[in-house]
């Protein structure tokens, strides 16, 4: 019989893997399974060409025979630009913010997760780009693989760039509006001076 872990368990657990093991469950309830309705799309035109070379670093770190993670192939189409936030119980539990750009999900690891408090400045590390299919990914990455541990969707929806996201990425300041199940309103990613991969995620 398949058991279910609700939000009370994994929201309070410091280690999602221990939470799953303690319950004897094989399934985790997340935002993807509990959404009552889809957010209203924000109409934005996005690239129709997936730049697969952007996934080279992602693929080098993973063994396709050892992990259930997707390896890319979906082509971006015109429409709303997606975002997703994963809760990842890896060696160091953290959240991953992913914004769709150039046919991939540009990704930042956020150790403490997003905060709705405008006074909070959450540290975020720019990591390798992920394939678009990762927006639907939820599974346990097996031990011995890069990023081993449970990864589930914490929030998802659409985002509207306030400035061109590629220009913002190059200039070190990305302004955008989120329309998700948990996260809403205007947010900013700001790169720390002199740092290529170190950013702040601010409401």
């Amino acid at each position: 019989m398949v058991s279910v872990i609700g939000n009370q368990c994994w929201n309070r657990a410091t280690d999602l893997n221990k939470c799953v093991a303690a319950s004897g469950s094989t399934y985790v309830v997340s935002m993807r399974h509990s959404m009552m309705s889809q957010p209203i799309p924000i109409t934005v035109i996005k690239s129709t060409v997936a730049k697969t070379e952007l996934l080279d670093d992602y693929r080098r770190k993973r063994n396709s025979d050892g992990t259930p993670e997707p390896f890319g192939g979906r082509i971006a189409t015109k429409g709303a630009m997606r975002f997703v936030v994963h809760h990842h119980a890896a060696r160091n539990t953290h959240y991953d913010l992913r914004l769709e750009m150039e046919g991939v999900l540009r990704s930042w690891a956020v150790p403490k997760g997003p905060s709705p408090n405008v006074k909070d400045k959450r540290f975020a590390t720019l990591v390798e780009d992920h394939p678009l299919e990762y927006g639907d990914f939820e599974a346990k990455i097996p031990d011995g693989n890069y990023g081993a541990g449970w990864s589930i969707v914490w929030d998802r929806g659409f985002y509207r760039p306030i400035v061109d996201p590629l220009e913002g990425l190059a200039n070190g300041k990305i302004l955008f509006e989120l329309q998700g199940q948990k996260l809403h309103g205007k947010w900013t990613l700001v790169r720390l001076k002199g740092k290529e991969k170190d950013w702040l995620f601010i409401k």
Side-chain angles (χ1 to χ4, degrees), residues 3-79:
S3 302
V4 174
I5 299 177
N7 289 340
Q8 183 178 5
C9 178
W10 65 266
N11 277 346
R12 295 182 180 180
T14 56
D15 188 327
L16 186 58
N17 295 313
K18 291 180 181 178
C19 180
V20 174
S23 69
S25 298
T26 57
Y27 182 73
V28 178
V29 168
S30 69
M31 286 304 301
R32 181 158 68 93
H33 298 97
S34 62
M35 286 202 293
M36 298 301 293
S37 61
Q38 293 293 328
I40 299 172
I42 301 171
T43 302
V44 176
I45 301 301
K46 61 189 179 185
S47 172
T48 58
V49 179
K51 297 186 176 181
T52 56
E53 68 272 12
L54 295 176
L55 297 176
D56 287 349
D57 192 25
Y58 171 92
R59 290 168 176 155
R60 274 195 298 268
K61 294 180 177 181
R62 292 163 175 83
N63 178 1
S64 60
D65 294 327
T67 178
E69 295 169 282
F71 271 67
R74 181 187 299 175
I75 302 298
T77 58
K78 293 181 179 180

Side-chain angles (χ1 to χ4, degrees), residues 66-176:
T67 178
E69 295 169 282
F71 271 67
R74 181 187 299 175
I75 302 298
T77 58
K78 293 181 179 180
M81 300 176 74
R82 298 192 306 159
F83 86 92
V84 63
V85 177
H86 279 98
H87 182 238
H88 188 184
R91 181 175 57 182
N92 295 312
T93 299
H94 62 278
Y95 293 78
D96 291 296
L97 168 68
R98 312 191 195 281
L99 302 177
E100 184 175 353
M101 297 183 200
E102 298 187 288
V104 296
L105 292 175
R106 200 126 291 155
S107 300
W108 287 260
V110 186
K112 293 185 177 180
S115 172
N117 189 334
V118 296
K119 295 182 180 180
D120 288 339
K121 298 179 180 180
R122 292 296 169 86
F123 182 74
T125 301
L126 182 65
V127 297
E128 71 274 12
D129 297 331
H130 284 53
L132 291 179
E133 293 92 334
Y134 220 95
D136 299 317
F137 176 74
E138 291 188 305
K140 182 180 181 181
I141 301 170
D143 293 343
N145 286 273
Y146 178 78
W150 275 99
S151 182
I152 63 174
V153 174
W154 183 82
D155 195 18
R156 69 191 305 183
F158 301 94
Y159 83 98
R160 181 181 67 85
I162 297 174
V163 298
D164 184 291
L166 296 181
E167 290 183 7
L169 187 68
N171 296 331
K173 188 174 184 179
I174 307 173
L175 301 172
F176 52 94

